[in-house]
């Protein structure tokens, strides 16, 4: 093997032809990755090697001009997403790639993908981007799709599959601030009473007085409850995940993932004694129910479950929640309205904004401030009035 100058590569004869080898980078373990060229003559191999180095030097080298966007997205997912990110991110990226990106731009050659094509895709998604094609996606969903595509194309640049990321020329849809739903104090009291009449009512009460997300509260196990110290540990969530079993009868199944929405979502929440007492009563009822089912009971150690111990399907729970609202003579509201109600009430009684943010599991105080700006405006007015009343001469 004839070694050339440092960085110039190696050229050697192999049986009836010549080959060249040059380092093209390093893998995650620090091992060298090589690029190979072959030809009938040494001159032919040298020409290929020099062309490669020149293109690498001026930033025009492309590893594979035949690979399509769809093929690359599949490779990117299996190589850089599976088992390398949280399960929730993995499930989200897989869904975006399968249901949104590949149907729109999957057949385009990756090398030929331009910002214009992506812009057209985003614009079309706002019109009829839903999987059932019965309406458009909201701007936030399109932005989430953009994040996944951007990650894949940035890796494509690193792997010499494209020269630059075409998304730099794309304009994302403007985010419309969504009006949050909140229960009035009177509605909150009505819901309190309505919840005590159903075994699942404690789910609503706990959410209303802890601000937890639906997946978090339905994903609680009894190991997450500390009755002695009146603490609740948010460490996981119930969600729909892909069913990888060979004998699976459906594409997805309900399951617990040891993951929350953000890093700060894993948290410890103090629960008021009156709510803890309701949880104790709920546990006693659950134990009695378990005895009725005997061996047919599926003991998953869930705080909230069906009568047979199985996970509560979020869709089934949603129906119960809406019926409960109707029974309490409250207009339909999303389950997330309970979380917003908790935060609003907490700020209305002048709770420290940092404390509220930590209870909610927000990534930053700014998110809390932006989400509940309607409360901060009222508090500002109250603060200014008190300043005058207490200190103005």
């Amino acid at each position: 093997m004839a070694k050339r100058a440092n960085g110039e590569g190696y050229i050697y004869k192999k049986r009836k032809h010549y080959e060249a080898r040059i380092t093209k980078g390093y893998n995650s373990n620090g091992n060298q990755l090589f690029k190979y060229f072959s030809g009938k003559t040494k001159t032919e191999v040298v020409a290929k090697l020099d062309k490669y180095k020149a293109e690498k030097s001026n930033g025009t080298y492309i590893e594979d001009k035949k690979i399509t966007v769809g093929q690359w997205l599949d490779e990117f997912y299996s190589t850089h997403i599976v088992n390398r990110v949280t399960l929730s991110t993995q499930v989200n990226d897989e869904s975006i790639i399968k249901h949104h990106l590949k149907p729109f731009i999957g057949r385009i050659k990756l090398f030929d993908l331009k910002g214009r094509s992506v812009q057209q895709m985003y614009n079309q998604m706002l019109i009829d981007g839903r999987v059932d094609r019965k309406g458009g996606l909201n701007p936030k969903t399109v932005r989430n799709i953009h994040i996944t595509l951007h990650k894949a194309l940035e890796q494509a640049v690193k792997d010499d599959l494209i020269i630059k990321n075409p998304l730099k020329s794309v304009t994302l849809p403007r985010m419309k601030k969504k009006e949050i739903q909140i229960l009035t104090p009177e509605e909150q009291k009505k819901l309190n009473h309505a919840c005590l009449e159903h075994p699942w009512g404690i789910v609503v009460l706990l959410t209303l007085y802890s601000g937890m997300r639906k997946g978090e509260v339905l994903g609680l196990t009894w190991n997450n409850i500390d009755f002695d110290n009146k603490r609740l540990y948010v460490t996981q969530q119930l969600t729909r995940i892909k069913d990888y079993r060979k004998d699976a009868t459906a594409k997805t199944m309900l399951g617990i993932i040891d993951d929350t929405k953000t890093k700060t979502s894993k948290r410890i929440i103090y629960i008021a004694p009156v709510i803890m007492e309701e949880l104790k009563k709920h546990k006693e009822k659950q134990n009695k129910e378990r005895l009725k089912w005997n061996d047919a009971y599926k003991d998953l150690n869930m705080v909230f479950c069906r009568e047979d111990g199985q996970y509560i399907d979020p869709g089934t729970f949603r129906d119960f929640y809406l019926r409960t609202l109707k029974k309490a003579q409250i207009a339909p509201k999303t389950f997330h309205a309970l979380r917003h109600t908790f935060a609003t009430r907490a700020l209305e009684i002048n709770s420290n904004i940092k404390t509220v943010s930590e209870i909610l599991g927000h990534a930053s105080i700014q998110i809390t401030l932006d989400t509940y700006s309607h409360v901060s405006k009222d508090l500002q007015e109250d603060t200014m009035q008190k300043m005058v009343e207490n200190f103005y001469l």
Side-chain angles (χ1 to χ4, degrees):
M1 182 179 292
K3 182 178 179 180
R4 308 174 90 196
N6 189 34
E8 294 292 305
Y10 297 86
I11 299 175
Y12 49 93
K13 189 172 183 180
K14 191 174 182 179
R15 293 181 182 178
K16 297 182 179 181
H17 66 278
Y18 283 85
E19 280 192 357
R21 187 187 79 181
I22 188 170
T23 302
K24 67 175 183 178
Y26 298 85
N27 62 19
S28 58
N29 296 320
N31 299 321
Q32 284 182 303
L33 298 174
F34 297 103
K35 177 71 178 175
Y36 295 89
F37 303 94
S38 62
K40 293 181 179 180
T41 65
K42 183 177 180 180
T43 301
E44 183 182 350
V45 171
V46 170
K48 290 181 179 180
L49 183 60
D50 289 344
K51 180 184 178 184
Y52 168 78
K53 290 187 294 182
E55 290 179 347
K56 286 286 288 184
S57 178
N58 59 32
T60 60
Y61 175 74
I62 298 299
E63 181 73 25
D64 183 356
K65 292 186 178 181
K66 295 180 180 180
I67 187 171
T68 65
V69 173
Q71 290 171 332
W72 169 243
L73 288 172
D74 288 339
E75 181 180 333
F76 169 76
Y77 177 77
S78 62
T79 306
H80 299 279
I81 299 298
V82 175
N83 298 326
R84 291 179 176 272
V85 298
T86 61
L87 184 56
S88 58
T89 300
Q90 181 176 319
V91 171
N92 181 65
D93 284 347
E94 180 184 37
S95 177
I96 286 175
I97 289 171
K98 179 180 179 180
H99 297 298
H100 298 294
L101 293 176
K102 289 177 70 174
F104 274 97
I105 58 175
R107 295 183 180 181
I108 299 175
K109 291 287 192 297
L110 182 60
F111 176 70
D112 293 329
L113 184 65
K114 300 293 186 291
R116 183 181 180 186
S117 299
V118 178
Q119 186 70 66
Q120 290 173 344
M121 175 182 71
Y122 289 166
N123 294 346
Q124 190 63 36
M125 284 179 170
L126 293 171
I127 299 172
D128 62 358
R130 283 179 43 171
V131 176
D132 59 10
R133 294 295 180 263
K134 293 182 179 180
L137 301 176
N138 62 53
K140 186 177 186 301
T141 302
V142 174
R143 283 174 172 263
N144 289 338
I145 292 171
H146 174 81
I147 290 172
T148 298
L149 181 58
H150 188 273
K151 289 188 297 185
L153 295 181
E154 281 296 295
Q155 188 61 48
V157 173
K158 295 177 183 177
D159 288 355
D160 292 323
L161 293 173
I162 53 177
I163 297 172
K164 64 179 182 179
N165 192 332
L167 297 191
K168 293 180 180 179
S169 64
V170 170
T171 302
L172 292 174
R174 292 181 61 183
M175 290 285 289
K176 297 178 182 178
K177 189 166 183 179
K178 193 175 180 180
E179 288 292 327
I180 63 175
Q181 296 179 318
I182 303 167
L183 296 173
T184 65
E186 293 73 22
E187 289 175 331
Q188 188 168 345
K189 290 177 181 178
K190 286 182 181 179
L191 189 57
N192 288 343
H193 293 295
C195 285
L196 297 175
E197 300 175 13
H198 192 283
W200 289 357
I202 183 62
V203 180
V204 176
L205 283 178
L206 181 59
T207 305
L208 199 51
Y209 292 96
S210 70
M212 294 173 66
R213 301 175 179 91
K214 182 166 63 176
E216 294 172 344
V217 72
L218 291 180
L220 288 172
T221 66
W222 287 113
N223 293 335
N224 296 122
I225 310 296
D226 182 352
F227 285 109
D228 294 333
N229 297 301
K230 298 177 179 58
R231 296 289 189 276
L232 184 152
Y233 298 85
V234 183
T235 61
Q236 60 208 18
Q237 62 177 316
L238 177 72
T239 188
R240 284 210 163 272
I241 56 179
K242 184 171 181 179
D243 194 343
Y244 292 97
R245 295 175 300 180
K246 292 181 179 179
D247 59 345
T249 56
K251 294 181 180 179
T252 62
M253 65 177 180
L254 283 173
I256 297 293
I257 60 174
D258 184 22
D259 177 31
T260 50
K261 187 175 182 182
T262 64
K263 291 180 180 179
T264 52
S265 292
K266 289 194 174 184
R267 59 202 187 277
I268 302 173
I269 303 175
Y270 171 83
I271 303 298
V274 65
I275 303 300
M276 272 297 187
E277 284 302 314
E278 292 298 331
L279 277 174
K280 285 182 180 179
K281 293 177 184 178
H282 169 72
K283 194 175 191 331
E284 292 171 0
K285 292 177 183 177
Q286 190 183 85
N287 290 335
K288 292 178 181 179
E289 198 67 45
R290 181 188 287 111
L291 295 175
K292 295 179 182 179
W293 285 80
N294 295 319
D295 294 339
Y297 188 84
K298 181 75 171 179
D299 192 359
L300 299 171
N301 199 35
M302 302 303 297
V303 175
F304 307 114
C305 57
R306 298 184 336 197
E307 291 181 350
D308 60 356
Q310 294 280 8
Y311 299 125
I312 297 176
D313 187 283
T316 304
F317 181 80
R318 177 179 176 276
D319 293 339
F320 152 75
Y321 168 68
L322 291 175
R323 287 197 306 271
T324 305
L325 288 180
K326 186 176 182 180
K327 186 176 182 180
Q329 297 182 328
I330 300 171
K333 288 180 175 60
T334 64
F335 188 80
H336 210 67
L338 303 182
R339 177 174 165 86
H340 291 320
T341 300
F342 166 82
T344 300
R345 295 288 108 82
L347 293 172
E348 285 175 347
I349 59 175
N350 291 313
S351 299
N352 181 279
I353 187 69
K354 188 175 188 304
T355 300
V356 175
S357 184
E358 289 174 350
I359 293 173
L360 294 172
H362 281 164
S364 69
I365 294 177
Q366 192 58 49
I367 293 175
T368 313
L369 289 169
D370 291 343
T371 305
Y372 304 104
S373 58
H374 64 288
V375 184
S376 62
K377 289 177 182 177
D378 294 337
L379 294 178
Q380 184 185 96
E381 187 176 318
D382 183 57
T383 298
M384 299 305 283
Q385 184 60 35
K386 286 181 178 178
M387 285 288 286
V388 172
E389 292 173 357
N390 288 287
F391 302 105
Y392 184 69
L393 296 179

